[in-house]
Amino acid sequence: LIELSIDPRDVRPAAPQRLVALELIATGKALPKQCVTSAELDRRLGHPPGFVERRSGVAQRYYVSAAESQSALGAQALRDALARGGIAPDSIDLLISASGVQEQALPNTAARILHHAGLPAGTPGYDVGASCLSFLCALQVASGLLHTGAYRRIAIVAADLASRGIDWSQPEASLIFGDGAAAVIVEAGRASAGIAACRFETHPAGRTFCEIRAGGTRRNPRVGVDASDFLFHMEGKRIFRLASELIESFLQRLLEQNGISIDDIDVVVPHQASHLAMAHIRQRLGVPAASVIDIYAQHGNQVAASMPTALHEAVITGLATPGRQMLLLGSGAGLMLGGMVLRT
Amino acid sequence: LIELSIDPRDVRPAAPQRLVALELIATGKALPKQCVTSAELDRRLGHPPGFVERRSGVAQRYYVSAAESQSALGAQALRDALARGGIAPDSIDLLISASGVQEQALPNTAARILHHAGLPAGTPGYDVGASCLSFLCALQVASGLLHTGAYRRIAIVAADLASRGIDWSQPEASLIFGDGAAAVIVEAGRASAGIAACRFETHPAGRTFCEIRAGGTRRNPRVGVDASDFLFHMEGKRIFRLASELIESFLQRLLEQNGISIDDIDVVVPHQASHLAMAHIRQRLGVPAASVIDIYAQHGNQVAASMPTALHEAVITGLATPGRQMLLLGSGAGLMLGGMVLRT
């Protein structure tokens, strides 16, 4: 396959990084009201009992109703983080919306979340987008903005409604997903907490392996569009081949070049891509299962909301206490790889 | 109108900012092949001669053909900037796509621009989205990322194809637009160049004044969508009322709080929103017409590509020489206001 002809040696190494101050001061999450078990999906889709859970590894996931919205769910997650942290809404200097898919083409999702969130009028908001890695990119963006002093406190909100684009005729690309939102509030904080390493790589050879073709200027009524263009398409085997070809050397570039060993990592917060991807990460990293945050069976793959929801889980279960090193790691459409070592 | 009940005094002032290092090392632009004069649009739309130009203030604009794409046009602008600056493609550490509307819902537009741009596989790319102010937000994001040392050289590309969403039945919201792309390459650079002031405000009261409702989770075949949801809607009078109510105090918060007077500004680079908006800015700021970059009549409103195209114009006409202070200023869907004082 021509798409697999990337030589990892061609990927330029980055210079070793210094610690970039960043402190999580609060996290929160939100789920739609409707919880759908895999047994219920078996019934709805006409599968034999046990089929959906065996195939997807998901026991339950949440789907929005037609009356719920992405931005309202995002605002709910933000309010949860504000409440848990005892943080005044008017102390947020910037809201970054970090969803995988937008609520609509225009305006940005941040404006629509701000409407529901009840922050003071004038609070600025913009979107950072990198499919399932949007949250990780937004964390890096926030660290930079805090560093310059442009903002003192930034809220990052990731909300995704995969159920609005699921192609039910594709078991591989439908049964694994769930809807949800999560929020993280960050400051520059203590000098000892921050980003010890961060790396992203985009490999456009994989840009068509995972996509929703409609939604912008490429496929719309003016140039031609059909019903399938609105649905999520995934070529699982090709993604898996490209990602597993790249991940080993990616981890090397992320960790070793920054003088970090996998033994220095206390907690792994992976994108909750699928049960196979989670098993693969555990195997590759060779870390104890207990140190890997795994909320997949209870939530499914929540696109960009997965990683902050998993990070919230690490925080509320006491795994993100000061002095720990967390490895946030994932892949996304594009094809994109992303990783960050976060010192708490 | 309930939407106009915002008291500008409620908008929290930001602390005065220090100069954040940022240097433009190259700029470039790209236009679709097809140039459409207003006389030609009069004929196509059945208007009397002179109607379109009188109504829109645009003499000519460019529209893509069905075969052209947003990401290819963005990549063309990037190659123009690389060539003008004599910059090696493999020296770009990060590509930020800063379009107003995405190419498709998934993956991000950055991955698709990277495909066409011919940068080395693995070069990371993510999107920053804030409708017409995406480029200005991306400049702020880049300054932060360069500041932390995460990247040394960042390319920002804004590409927008308004023609793919124009509602021809609405003269006010159709005749003003044109397609285009522009690219800017930045580094931390000299200590004397950078961002002297930057401010964004989102006023969600205006979130429905300017929108494309389809393109994401809100309006799609699963929850219901109609042909008009794919088109750009604008309530010009309401936007104008809200923006002009806010702009005076916004400028105060942007400039005066940072100890900058409008007399200190050498060049104004406004978003090329409309001829009325351009005239309004000239009047409000009270600056000489020659110091305001005005490329509107030859390009139309190019959404997020307008501001970097105007910035490119300032650079190639010799107005952005070292030591100057440029005011970048605009509004966007959301409703959002944005301004930046850039020392060159």
Side-chain angles (χ1 to χ4, degrees), chain A residues 6 10-15 17-18 20 65-66 69-70 89-94 100-108 110-112 114-115 120-132 137-138 140-141 143-152 160-168 198-205 207-208 210-223 225 227 230-232 303 333-336, chain B residues 6 10-15 17-18 20 65-66 69-70 89-94 100-108 110-112 114-115 120-132 137-138 140-141 143-152 160-168 198-205 207-208 210-223 225 227 230-232 303 333-336:
Chain A
I6 294 161
D10 290 344
V11 178
R12 219 153 34 92
Q17 290 157 19
R18 61 175 191 270
V20 178
S65 66
S69 78
Q70 184 177 351
D90 66 0
S91 71
I92 302 297
D93 292 323
L94 173 71
V101 171
Q102 285 190 286
E103 186 158 72
Q104 58 189 58
L106 199 78
N108 59 0
R112 299 184 58 84
L114 282 164
H115 163 66
T123 306
Y126 44 81
D127 293 7
V128 169
S131 65
C132 291
C137 293
Q140 186 185 45
V141 165
S143 74
L145 295 170
L146 293 166
H147 210 63
T148 65
Y151 306 102
R152 290 154 300 184
D160 268 298
L161 309 184
S163 67
R164 295 270 164 93
I166 284 175
D167 181 354
W168 292 111
C198 183
R199 186 172 182 91
F200 297 101
E201 290 180 9
T202 302
H203 295 273
R207 74 198 174 283
T208 62
C210 196
E211 62 178 345
I212 299 173
R213 290 184 294 262
T217 62
R218 184 174 164 216
R219 297 279 176 94
N220 68 26
R222 184 143 296 157
V223 276
V225 68
F230 295 95
L231 300 177
F232 175 76
V303 196
L335 181 119
M336 199 168 173
Chain B
I6 296 161
D10 290 344
V11 179
R12 220 152 35 94
Q17 290 158 18
R18 63 174 189 270
V20 178
S65 65
S69 78
Q70 185 178 352
D90 66 359
S91 71
I92 302 298
D93 293 324
L94 173 71
V101 171
Q102 285 190 287
E103 186 158 73
Q104 59 188 60
L106 200 76
N108 60 2
R112 299 184 58 83
L114 282 164
H115 161 66
T123 305
Y126 44 81
D127 294 6
V128 169
S131 65
C132 291
C137 294
Q140 187 185 44
V141 165
S143 74
L145 294 170
L146 292 167
H147 209 63
T148 65
Y151 306 101
R152 290 154 301 183
D160 267 298
L161 309 185
S163 67
R164 295 270 164 92
I166 284 175
D167 182 353
W168 292 111
C198 183
R199 186 173 184 90
F200 297 101
E201 291 181 8
T202 303
H203 295 273
R207 75 198 173 284
T208 61
C210 195
E211 62 177 346
I212 300 173
R213 291 185 294 262
T217 61
R218 183 175 165 216
R219 296 281 176 91
N220 68 24
R222 183 144 295 156
V223 276
V225 67
F230 294 95
L231 300 177
F232 176 76
V303 195
L335 182 117
M336 198 167 174

Side-chain angles (χ1 to χ4, degrees), chain B residues 35-293:
Chain B
C35 177
V36 178
T37 63
S38 284
E40 167 66 20
L41 265 196
D42 284 334
R43 282 189 293 273
R44 285 193 199 176
L45 300 170
H47 293 302
F51 175 89
V52 170
E53 183 159 356
R54 201 169 53 246
R55 190 73 187 258
S56 66
V58 179
Q60 61 170 51
R61 79 286 285 151
Y62 298 80
Y63 293 149
V64 287
S65 65
E68 289 172 284
S69 78
Q70 185 178 352
S71 51
L73 197 66
Q76 190 185 326
L78 176 57
R79 279 193 300 270
D80 185 45
L82 291 168
R84 285 170 184 272
I87 294 167
D90 66 359
S91 71
I92 302 298
D93 293 324
L94 173 71
L95 183 136
I96 299 179
S97 169
S99 299
V101 171
Q102 285 190 287
E103 186 158 73
Q104 59 188 60
L106 200 76
N108 60 2
T109 306
R112 299 184 58 83
I113 293 174
L114 282 164
H115 161 66
H116 290 288
L119 304 194
T123 305
Y126 44 81
D127 294 6
V128 169
S131 65
C132 291
L133 292 170
S134 297
F135 171 74
L136 208 54
C137 294
L139 261 190
Q140 187 185 44
V141 165
S143 74
L145 294 170
L146 292 167
H147 209 63
T148 65
Y151 306 101
R152 290 154 301 183
R153 185 174 279 178
I154 297 175
I156 303 172
V157 178
D160 267 298
L161 309 185
S163 67
R164 295 270 164 92
I166 284 175
D167 182 353
W168 292 111
S169 72
Q170 302 291 323
E172 183 194 47
S174 59
L175 309 177
I176 62 171
F177 287 105
D179 303 341
V184 168
I185 301 172
V186 291
E187 289 184 354
R190 294 167 293 127
S192 60
I195 300 173
C198 183
R199 186 173 184 90
F200 297 101
E201 291 181 8
T202 303
H203 295 273
R207 75 198 173 284
T208 61
F209 295 179
C210 195
E211 62 177 346
I212 300 173
R213 291 185 294 262
T217 61
R218 183 175 165 216
R219 296 281 176 91
N220 68 24
R222 183 144 295 156
V223 276
V225 67
D226 63 52
S228 81
D229 290 327
F230 294 95
L231 300 177
F232 176 76
H233 294 273
M234 187 171 85
E235 298 186 46
K237 281 191 189 116
R238 298 177 89 183
I239 294 169
F240 191 80
R241 278 186 63 183
L242 182 55
S244 42
E245 185 192 294
L246 293 165
I247 192 76
E248 197 89 19
S249 60
F250 174 81
L251 270 168
Q252 224 165 25
R253 292 187 286 275
L254 171 67
L255 296 180
E256 292 176 21
Q257 285 180 12
N258 290 292
I260 299 169
S261 151
I262 191 67
D263 301 330
D264 302 331
I265 301 297
D266 302 297
V267 186
V268 180
V269 182
H271 170 47
Q272 313 284 306
S274 69
H275 56 321
L276 301 176
M278 298 292 290
H280 192 251
I281 277 182
R282 260 190 293 267
Q283 274 178 4
R284 280 285 170 134
L285 297 181
V287 291
S291 70
V292 179
I293 305 293

